[in-house]
Amino acid sequence: MNLPGREYEIVIGGGLLRESGGLLREGYSGGTVFAVTDEHVAPLYLETFTRSLEGRGMRTVPVVIPPGEESKSLACLETVYGALLKEEITRGHLIAALGGGVVGDLAGYAAATLLRGIPFVQVPTTLLAQVDSSVGGKVAVNHPRGKNLIGAFHQPKLVIADTDTLDTLSPRVFADGMGEVVKHGAIADEEMFALLENGAFDREDVIYRNCGIKSRVVEGDEFDTGGRMILNFGHTFGHAIEAAGGFSRYTHGEAVAMGMVMAAELGERLDITVPGTAERLRRVLTMYNLPVKPDLEVDFRFMLTDKKRDGDILRLILLKKIGEAVIVPVAVSELGALI
């Protein structure tokens, strides 16, 4: 990631947790790392991570939270603040987010706001986190009125993506990450999308391609005021679907998958998207065990809390074709007629 003054490496490969001490030591001279993780990840990987850091003279202080989207809340954030402050954390320390997207977003937001900013690293252990949420510096917690409404931009110092951690994912959690993989292909990489359609999946190559897409987009618009918005393809509809399910019925990737289909269908109705695009999306999403239509009633007024809204204008992300996205401003008063 080449952001002036905030450059960092995204290291991808198998067995990297065992090498994480050496990777962290290259840019961190301190003696303590606060490892925020959850109750699912801790038994699997915390010991390996801790041993690697100890081998390089670092002490690990674990902060373990409950798993799941419910932990991406102000209440859980308060608990994390308390645990870090109890251990007398300073700006000279380092926070490590060891886990999936919820851990990364929560720990990252704690790092962004506690003591007005503490360095942190992302150590993503799910496919979704490795291909998307760990890269780009968006960190946040949810609010009852919407997803990720309380957040900041706080770039990590390093991303360590150990692909071996994907071996312990359940099929549903793996599919969750595939929602973001398909999204990246749909908005920016027609070749990768075609490979996915053909069932060609090399995980290191896929993660590398996805991180490359995310890096290029973020480098052009770090603070999400223009071109970076295309990364939200499927998300405006998807967040409404997540909310309809109480943020527990559907995973983020499942909701985004259904949101992408809805966005493609809308684009075709508006003659913006090449006909047949929605069907291509449905086929590839189904291949990777993702839903393409919600099975409950969705209140799309929830879309009005979308962060891409500016006054009476909501910016929808649609496709021209697979591999090319476009930002379409829509008047809020016209939204109901469109969806």
Side-chain angles (χ1 to χ4, degrees), residues 10-24:
I10 304 162
V11 189
I12 303 163
L16 290 181
L17 276 180
R18 295 189 297 273
E19 301 174 25
S20 52
L23 292 169
L24 290 185

Side-chain angles (χ1 to χ4, degrees), residues 32-35 59-63 79-91 93-94 114-115:
T32 302
V33 175
F34 294 84
R59 178 176 71 106
T60 305
V61 178
V63 178
T79 300
V80 171
Y81 284 153
L84 296 173
L85 290 170
K86 181 181 178 181
E87 294 291 334
E88 300 181 349
I89 191 170
T90 72
R91 292 181 187 174
H93 287 130
L94 184 70
L114 193 62
L115 306 182

Side-chain angles (χ1 to χ4, degrees), residues 29-141:
S29 60
T32 302
V33 175
F34 294 84
V36 181
T37 188
D38 69 31
E39 292 167 357
H40 283 170
V41 175
L44 295 170
Y45 302 119
L46 183 57
E47 183 178 357
T48 301
F49 184 68
T50 298
R51 284 183 177 178
S52 183
L53 268 60
E54 287 176 347
R56 293 297 182 127
M58 288 173 275
R59 178 176 71 106
T60 305
V61 178
V63 178
V64 183
I65 64 171
E69 189 74 19
E70 295 82 2
S71 288
K72 215 169 110 173
S73 66
L74 287 170
C76 191
L77 178 67
E78 178 69 23
T79 300
V80 171
Y81 284 153
L84 296 173
L85 290 170
K86 181 181 178 181
E87 294 291 334
E88 300 181 349
I89 191 170
T90 72
R91 292 181 187 174
H93 287 130
L94 184 70
I95 293 174
L98 175 65
V102 168
V103 167
D105 279 4
L106 179 71
Y109 187 65
T113 52
L114 193 62
L115 306 182
R116 296 196 176 97
I118 295 170
F120 88 114
V121 297
Q122 291 273 16
V123 190
T125 59
T126 65
L127 180 62
L128 186 147
Q130 291 183 2
V131 300
D132 186 58
S133 62
S134 67
V135 177
K138 279 188 177 181
V139 293
V141 295

